[in-house]
């Protein structure tokens, strides 16, 4: 029971209740604590770092797609390690366009920072795609983490990566993710704001203008105007924190990121929630092996939740809130349940809350529709939707599709206005569909228990190529193309195999040289000297008031 996060005292009390009292258990509570401690020591009998290395090696022998790396200092002490399993690599291939990365918690006796990589799957659930522990939060440490992660995922960089306001992390991202958009967590910024800018506590207008700049502005021009109004009204020209924040405005304001996919995420809360869950199965006295096992159990639970939702999508039924709507019926067959509910809400908001106030033809096939919210008829703010009448390609000035990946309510209102019955394929991202992971290599949980991983891979590839050849057998042109592509793939595979053999030989020599010599990491302290989530300005203020009372 303690292995799944139940406290020793709770487990003992449960056993006592089951057998009718502590006198019938057969051992006392101190015996239970001693047994648990012996089990914990057995996990690290050869040293915490060496035991962790052995656990990772054993996992790699079970999963041929599992990758890990250990970083040591000049005294051969462990100062960082990172791992990614086969399931995580598949998930990253499918959903690695937006990553949340955070190092808020240090849940081990060495105070190494826990740094999980979190993405959002097609059910809008948290998915763990890699984890790391590092001793120091320096540019070099973060560069090692990001470079190792990129090496394990084949060099694929995310479209957007969310982090907190750490300068070392920002510098490392600029070096290792040059094509990715780095975004800062708005939650951390909003919690600092009341203590950094006293005017926010006294003037609601100034505070509302600041939050409007964060996520409500539709353009850079609107942001600049709103920011100027806030500074002028609050007399904040000399506020140093705001000046520094303005310099990095492209990293936290949505107005400067309209062309970049972010799934509507504004903070690192998804990663912090993962750390918070881990807080229940790991504590400040936990070993590194226990931390790794705790995270592995957490990811297994998330995978199980994903499989459960896959089952509901496959065997369950969803009734649209609006009956006899061709567009909703069409998208219902494509999207997952959660993605469909988000799309349906946007459609209903557009049908009821948005009105088309003007339309003008700018060319023979292109029409511009001016839309605005029905409840604000006196408001001059409008969103302009340009539609191609030949193929129904649409573009909205709010750029909701470019950022969230699902059509905005303004375009859906225009589609409803023009009686469009089917969403163009280009506006249905595969990452939100029921077939988001179709054709991917089987995950560990989905593999037959009596088959080894190589046999499962061969079976998968044979089934994949068989389906492909059956699909193209009637088209001579495609058959020639596929045959030529297979020849090129075979040549590339030979090159990769040769490189892999050389790399494995080098890794084996290194492991043989350092086998059993990896030492436990030194005990570190975090920058904030705390293992807990940073408290907001309002939490600190309320605590001081309660003490005064």
């Amino acid at each position: 029971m303690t292995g799944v996060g139940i406290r020793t005292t709770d487990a003992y009390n449960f056993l006592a209740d089951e057998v009718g009292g502590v006198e019938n258990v057969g051992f006392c509570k101190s015996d239970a604590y001693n047994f648990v401690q012996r089990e914990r020591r057995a996990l690290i009998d050869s040293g915490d770092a060496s035991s962790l290395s052995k656990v990772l090696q054993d996992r790699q022998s079970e999963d041929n797609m599992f990758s890990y790396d250990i970083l040591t200092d000049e005294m051969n002490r462990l100062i960082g390690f990172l791992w990614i399993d086969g399931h995580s690599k598949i998930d990253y291939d499918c959903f690695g366009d937006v990553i949340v990365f955070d190092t808020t918690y240090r849940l081990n006796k060495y105070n190494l920072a826990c740094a999980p990589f979190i993405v959002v799957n097609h059910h809008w659930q948290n998915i763990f795609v890699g984890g790391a522990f590092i001793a120091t939060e320096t540019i070099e440490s973060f560069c090692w983490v990001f470079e190792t992660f990129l090496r394990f995922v084949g060099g694929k960089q995310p479209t957007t990566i969310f982090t907190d306001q750490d300068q070392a992390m920002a510098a490392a991202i600029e070096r290792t993710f040059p094509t990715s958009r780095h975004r800062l967590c708005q939650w951390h910024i909003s919690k600092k704001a009341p203590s950094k800018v006293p005017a926010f506590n006294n003037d609601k207008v100034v505070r509302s203008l600041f939050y409007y700049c964060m996520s409500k502005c539709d353009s850079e021009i609107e942001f600049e105007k709103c920011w100027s109004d806030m500074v002028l009204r609050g007399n904040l020209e000399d506020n140093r924190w705001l000046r520094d924040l303005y310099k990095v405005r492209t990293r936290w304001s949505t107005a400067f990121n309209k062309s970049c996919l972010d799934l509507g995420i504004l903070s690192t809360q998804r990663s912090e929630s993962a750390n918070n869950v881990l807080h229940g199965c790991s504590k400040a006295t936990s070993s590194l092996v226990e931390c790794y096992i705790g995270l592995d159990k957490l990811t297994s639970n998330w995978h199980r939740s994903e499989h459960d939702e896959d089952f509901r999508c496959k065997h369950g039924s969803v009734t649209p809130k609006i009956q006899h709507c061709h567009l909703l019926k069409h998208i219902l067959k494509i999207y997952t349940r959660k993605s469909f509910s988000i799309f349906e809400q946007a459609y209903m908001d557009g049908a009821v809350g948005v009105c088309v106030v003007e339309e003008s033809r700018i060319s023979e096939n292109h029409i511009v529709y001016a839309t605005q919210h029905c409840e604000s008829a006196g408001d001059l703010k409008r969103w302009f939707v340009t539609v191609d009448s030949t193929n129904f390609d649409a573009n909205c000035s709010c750029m909701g599709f470019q950022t969230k990946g699902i059509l905005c309510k303004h375009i859906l209102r225009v589609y409803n206005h023009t009686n469009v019955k089917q969403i163009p394929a280009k506006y249905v991202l595969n990452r939100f569909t029921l077939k988001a992971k179709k054709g991917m290599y089987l995950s560990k949980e989905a593999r037959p228990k009596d088959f080894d991983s190589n046999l499962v891979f061969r079976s998968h590839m044979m089934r994949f190529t068989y389906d492909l050849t059956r699909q193209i057998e009637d088209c001579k042109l495609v058959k020639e193309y596929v045959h030529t592509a297979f020849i090129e793939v075979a040549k590339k595979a030979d090159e990769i195999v040769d490189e892999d053999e050389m790399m494995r030989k080098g890794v084996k020599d290194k492991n043989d040289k350092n086998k059993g010599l990896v030492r436990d990491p030194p005990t570190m302290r975090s920058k904030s000297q705390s293992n807990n989530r940073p408290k907001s300005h309002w939490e600190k203020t309320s605590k001081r008031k309660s003490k005064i009372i």
Side-chain angles (χ1 to χ4, degrees), residues 511-527:
N511 290 339
D512 291 341
K513 181 179 179 180
N514 296 329
K515 186 176 181 181
L517 299 178
V518 180
R519 301 174 58 191
D520 292 345
T523 301
M524 309 297 296
R525 291 303 301 171
S526 61
K527 295 178 181 179

Side-chain angles (χ1 to χ4, degrees), residues 444-457:
K444 181 179 179 181
E445 289 77 4
R447 301 174 192 170
K449 294 183 178 180
D450 55 342
F451 282 1
D452 62 58
S453 56
N454 290 330
L455 183 58
V456 173
F457 177 72

Side-chain angles (χ1 to χ4, degrees), residues 319-333:
T319 303
K321 295 179 180 179
I322 301 177
Q323 300 294 324
H324 312 297
C325 178
H326 294 284
L327 194 144
L328 287 180
K329 288 182 179 179
H330 164 245
I331 210 69
L332 178 60
K333 299 177 182 178

